[in-house]
Amino acid sequence: MGTTTQHTVSLEGIGPVEVSVTEYGSGQPFLLLHGGAGPQSVTGFAEKFAAAHDVRVLVPTHPGFAGTVRPEALASVSGLAMLYGALLDQLALTDVTVIGNSIGGWITAEIALLKSPRVSGIVLIDAVGIEVPGHPVADFFSLTMDEVFRLSFHDPEPFRIDPTTLPPAAQAIAAGNRTAIAVYAGSAMTDPTLAGRLGSLEVPTLVLWGESDGIVDYGRVYAAAIPLAQFQLLPETGHSPQLETPDQVIQAIWDSADTGFSAFAR
């Protein structure tokens, strides 16, 4: 089980922001950023990762998700990146690898663009954020939940739920998550400037992509935009490999160390 702590991070122009962080394990630090499905979509992976290796996995909840409060001025992916950069400073962490899925991957890319010396590598897992002609991100806000599950997983059956059967509190949290996604990422979930800015990155990057991802299919383009990126396609998994096939993700991260990807060598 993880240990949850509350941190207050002050951001210029935004003010104090409360951030809930759950930690698993001890050792080399990894900051793990969830996507639109909320923190529960990465907590199982964090626990498994920490049990498999000597790592300390920190999982923050993006303000506005899981029933948490979002300051009105915190309203962009770049703002979240600044928040987590300041959190790393506050915690005095070094040699941090940042891992992000979906919107969390977009935040991860923006963190890397801040060029903090505390960040030594990044892992992008089916990340959104870049704009690729002919390859739009699926319009999440117009999809039924059944369509979301079908596009998100290689095998959706183990993950499929009927949201109308959830308790009112859970339905309220899900609605809050959707609102937070729209505020941070917009309906298109892209930034037309991001792909061009990624060319300035000098941090080792591992881009992992589910072969059956029906939400976004431009993984190789994402990797090609980053000078030091490696790309790996993950078979029989969809938009959230850390949820559907976590062992594949852990193995891919550790195998990258064996190929000279020094940021992940432990």
Side-chain angles (χ1 to χ4, degrees):
M1 296 293 292
T3 300
T4 301
T5 54
Q6 301 292 328
H7 302 272
T8 301
V9 181
S10 183
L11 291 178
E12 185 176 352
I14 295 176
V17 182
E18 295 291 330
V19 185
S20 176
V21 181
T22 304
E23 295 192 27
Y24 303 82
S26 60
Q28 199 72 28
F30 285 75
L31 181 68
L32 177 59
L33 303 179
H34 67 79
Q40 75 277 7
S41 66
V42 297
T43 51
F45 173 81
E47 192 167 8
K48 181 182 280 282
F49 191 19
H53 298 282
D54 294 326
V55 294
R56 176 187 179 190
V57 186
L58 298 91
V59 181
T61 297
H62 309 326
F65 281 84
T68 59
V69 176
R70 179 188 61 83
E72 186 174 350
L74 182 62
S76 66
V77 168
S78 59
L80 284 172
M82 290 188 292
L83 174 68
Y84 294 132
L87 178 66
L88 295 182
D89 288 341
Q90 183 171 301
L91 298 178
L93 295 176
T94 58
D95 194 18
V96 180
T97 299
V98 185
I99 305 175
N101 169 240
S102 191
I103 295 171
W106 181 2
I107 302 166
T108 297
E110 292 285 4
I111 290 172
L113 285 165
L114 295 175
K115 310 265 177 96
S116 168
R118 299 187 184 278
V119 175
S120 58
I122 63 172
V123 181
L124 306 179
I125 305 175
D126 296 76
V128 299
I130 64 171
E131 189 172 84
V132 180
H135 296 269
V137 179
D139 185 358
F140 170 78
F141 299 98
S142 71
L143 298 174
T144 66
M145 286 308 299
D146 187 68
E147 289 171 328
V148 169
F149 287 117
R150 179 175 56 81
L151 293 174
S152 295
F153 296 101
H154 175 77
D155 178 11
E157 291 309 314
F159 304 95
R160 198 186 303 274
I161 60 170
D162 180 354
T164 63
T165 65
L166 295 174
Q171 292 190 39
I173 286 175
N177 289 353
R178 288 175 67 90
T179 298
I181 296 169
V183 169
Y184 288 129
S187 59
M189 298 192 191
T190 60
D191 176 351
T193 73
L194 179 58
R197 292 186 287 121
L198 292 176
S200 70
L201 287 183
E202 299 175 351
V203 63
T205 301
L206 179 62
V207 179
L208 302 178
W209 220 266
E211 185 178 35
S212 301
D213 188 348
I215 299 294
V216 60
D217 65 353
Y218 51 43
R220 286 185 174 84
V221 179
Y222 223 125
I226 302 172
L228 297 179
Q230 291 185 1
F231 176 81
Q232 183 172 338
L233 195 66
L234 302 177
E236 298 185 351
T237 193
H239 186 63
S240 300
Q242 82 289 343
L243 185 63
E244 191 169 13
T245 55
D247 291 333
Q248 278 201 69
V249 179
I250 294 171
Q251 191 65 51
I253 293 171
W254 242 248
D255 284 351
S256 67
D258 296 334
T259 61
F261 208 26
S262 59
F264 308 123
R266 304 294 179 226

